């Protein structure tokens, strides 16, 4: 089967060189060919190749396709494939990014003249994944130190949690040390804010909906201590100001659509909503117990995921845009109160200290956990190992299934789908790119 797939893939590549010739002939003979006839059925005979990565030229053979690309739609596993040519019996399309494994569907026509066909066999997307090191170093004894500079020269100490802004810059909390900013576009690592005084134990962070304000939780054991502080873009994220006094604040999450701010506290596994006008907090839900909670919204703001580091489970809560409230969280993935390691669906999976999570544009949740791995959870609750070797620490770049991490705690995802990992034990920021 693999040899057949490879052969068809090579055929697809060969046709890539023929397509420009096809288009040139079409331009020279624009009026040649039959238009789509909605009174006649479309016939879809085959597509090839049956596997490939992003940009693969997909060729679909059949009849009654017409000659107007604006009437033709092709999708692979529900994702639109760009249609770049059609000539009665052949459709040429380009496989989209991260299509995964799924059916190829052809739709021709508009409104009530539309006809569709779904092939019985799936297209198998070939992911190209690699784990690499973005920045960070260690000494011979495994320790590190704080050094700013270029991405190649900078050093980090115990990177804990991170987030990414709309420009692709990373904002990182180093354990017990403060804020670092990692800019790939400027090729620099800086330290705009170093923890001091009542704000010396920064834990987790999130941006406001406009990416101009950074909210940072600060874990203190005093009811009157600073639990949440802010720093803003207009001052270069250098000056921190107290926002909320709270004991043992763990994480903060801002709804990316309406900007509503929530923060979690370990006592009671409590989640609060903060009102900027009245400057008051309202308890909206709890997980119970003495539970460290990390939180992240989906990009559409409809779902808040809660990672229970002490319960070893992932929870899901629906956000109400009208009341600005949260439904009572339900277990989404993991075996509650049972630490372990197992991929699976929903509660059949197991985690050990799931920490920070982040959601990509497709709704997939990525979670860093102490099993030395990054887990991926689909919107349907299917849990898999995205990168790393479970329960085996180390430092190795390369294929995700062979890469090694050491107690990763933080994870963030940019708009391109690149996953960034705060690899705490290795004092590095790792990144996982895949198409």
């Amino acid at each position: 089967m693999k040899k057949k797939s490879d052969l068809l893939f090579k055929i697809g590549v060969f046709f890539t060189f023929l397509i420009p010739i096809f288009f040139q002939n079409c331009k020279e003979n624009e009026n040649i060919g039959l238009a789509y006839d909605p009174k006649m059925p479309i016939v879809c005979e085959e597509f090839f190749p049956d596997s490939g990565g992003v940009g693969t030229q997909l060729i679909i053979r059949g009849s009654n396709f017409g000659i107007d690309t604006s009437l033709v739609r092709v999708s692979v596993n529900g994702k639109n494939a760009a249609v770049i040519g059609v000539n009665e019996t052949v459709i040429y399309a380009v496989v989209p990014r991260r299509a995964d494994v799924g059916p190829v569907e052809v739709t021709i026509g508009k409104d009530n003249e539309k006809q569709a066909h779904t092939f019985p066999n799936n297209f198998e997307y070939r992911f190209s994944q690699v784990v690499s090191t973005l920045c960070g170093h260690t000494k011979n004894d495994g320790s590190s130190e704080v050094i700013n500079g270029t991405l190649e020269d900078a050093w980090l100490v115990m990177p804990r949690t991170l987030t990414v802004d709309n420009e692709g810059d990373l904002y990182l909390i180093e354990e017990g040390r403060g804020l670092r900013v990692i800019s790939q576009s400027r090729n620099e690592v800086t330290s705009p804010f170093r923890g001091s005084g009542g704000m010396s134990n920064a834990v987790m962070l999130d941006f406001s909906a406009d990416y101009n304000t950074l909210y940072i939780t600060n874990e203190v054991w005093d009811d009157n201590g600073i639990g949440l502080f802010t720093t803003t873009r207009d001052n270069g994220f250098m000056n921190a100001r107290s926002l909320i006094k709270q004991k043992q604040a763990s994480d903060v999450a801002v709804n990316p659509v309406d900007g509503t701010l929530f923060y979690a506290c370990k006592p009671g596994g409590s989640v609060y909503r903060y009102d900027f006008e009245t400057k008051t907090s309202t308890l909206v839900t709890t997980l119970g117990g003495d539970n460290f909670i990390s939180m992240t919204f989906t990009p559409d703001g409809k779902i808040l995921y809660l990672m229970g580091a002490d319960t070893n489970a992932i929870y899901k809560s629906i956000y109400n845009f009208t009341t600005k409230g949260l439904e009572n969280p339900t277990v989404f993935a993991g075996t509650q109160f049972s630490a372990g390691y197992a991929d699976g669906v929903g509660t059949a999976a197991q985690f050990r200290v799931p920490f920070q999570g982040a959601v990509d544009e497709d709704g997939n949740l990525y979670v860093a956990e102490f099993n030395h791995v990054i887990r991926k959870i689909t919107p349907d609750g299917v849990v898999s190992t995205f990168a790393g070797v479970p329960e085996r620490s180390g430092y190795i770049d390369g294929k995700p299934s062979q890469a090694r991490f050491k107690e990763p705690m933080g994870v963030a995802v940019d708009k391109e789908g690149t996953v960034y990992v705060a690899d705490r034990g290795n004092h590095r920021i790792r990144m996982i790119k895949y198409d």
Side-chain angles (χ1 to χ4, degrees), residues 320-385:
N320 188 313
F321 282 96
T322 302
T323 65
K324 300 189 184 304
L326 294 168
E327 290 185 1
N328 289 332
T330 57
V331 178
F332 178 60
T335 306
Q336 195 172 211
F337 305 116
S338 178
Y341 172 82
D343 287 336
V345 180
T347 56
Q350 283 189 308
F351 298 86
R352 176 174 284 111
V353 192
F355 213 72
Q356 190 179 27
V359 183
D360 68 15
E361 296 295 323
D362 295 325
N364 298 303
L365 173 65
Y366 300 86
V367 179
E369 66 164 311
F370 269 36
N371 271 325
H372 312 299
V373 293
I374 307 302
R375 309 290 281 280
K376 176 182 177 181
I377 312 172
T378 70
D380 295 325
V382 179
V383 180
S384 60
T385 301

Side-chain angles (χ1 to χ4, degrees), residues 58-238:
L58 192 64
I59 300 171
I60 301 169
R61 298 178 62 87
S63 60
N64 194 26
F65 293 156
I67 55 175
D68 186 353
T69 56
S70 68
L71 297 179
V72 181
R73 179 182 179 275
V74 175
S75 67
V76 179
N77 194 29
K79 292 191 173 184
N80 288 335
V83 177
I84 57 176
V86 59
N87 188 15
E88 291 185 60
T89 61
V90 181
I91 297 172
Y92 299 89
V94 179
V95 173
R97 292 182 69 244
R98 298 161 61 188
D100 215 327
V101 177
V104 174
E105 183 178 14
V106 177
T107 304
I108 299 179
K110 292 182 178 180
D111 303 325
N112 59 348
E113 294 183 342
K114 186 184 297 182
Q115 297 187 64
H117 174 84
T118 302
F119 285 95
N121 54 314
N122 288 335
F123 180 87
E124 183 175 347
Y125 190 88
R126 290 179 176 175
F127 284 96
S128 175
Q129 298 174 292
V130 64
V131 178
S132 60
T133 298
L134 179 64
C135 63
H137 303 272
T138 55
K139 300 177 182 179
N140 291 335
D141 62 359
S143 65
S144 188
E145 59 184 311
V146 177
I147 300 177
N148 288 324
T150 65
L151 269 65
E152 182 179 356
D153 296 333
W155 289 56
L156 311 169
V157 176
M158 289 189 289
R160 183 166 179 171
T161 54
L162 70 168
T163 189
V164 60
D165 69 8
N166 55 338
E167 299 297 327
D169 289 343
L170 294 172
Y171 296 76
L172 166 73
I173 296 296
E174 287 180 307
E175 190 167 305
R177 287 168 176 80
L179 178 68
R180 305 289 293 276
V181 177
I182 303 170
S183 174
Q184 295 184 74
S185 61
R186 298 190 300 272
N187 186 29
E188 66 175 10
V189 178
T190 57
S191 302
F193 173 78
R194 306 310 290 165
S196 61
M199 293 174 281
S200 61
N201 197 22
V203 183
M204 307 190 84
L205 69 174
D206 198 15
F207 267 105
S208 58
D210 61 7
Y211 290 99
N212 288 325
T213 301
L214 197 58
Y215 300 99
I216 302 175
T217 54
N218 185 56
E219 191 172 19
V220 294
W221 286 261
D222 180 359
D223 289 332
N224 293 316
I226 299 171
L228 188 69
F229 62 89
T230 66
T231 182
T232 58
R233 191 177 295 277
D234 59 8
N235 64 30
F237 300 104
M238 296 181 67

Side-chain angles (χ1 to χ4, degrees), residues 292-308:
F292 188 100
I293 300 172
S294 170
M295 305 181 295
T296 186
F297 273 101
T298 53
D300 60 11
K302 295 180 180 179
I303 297 172
L304 180 69
Y305 289 115
L306 304 94
M307 278 54 68

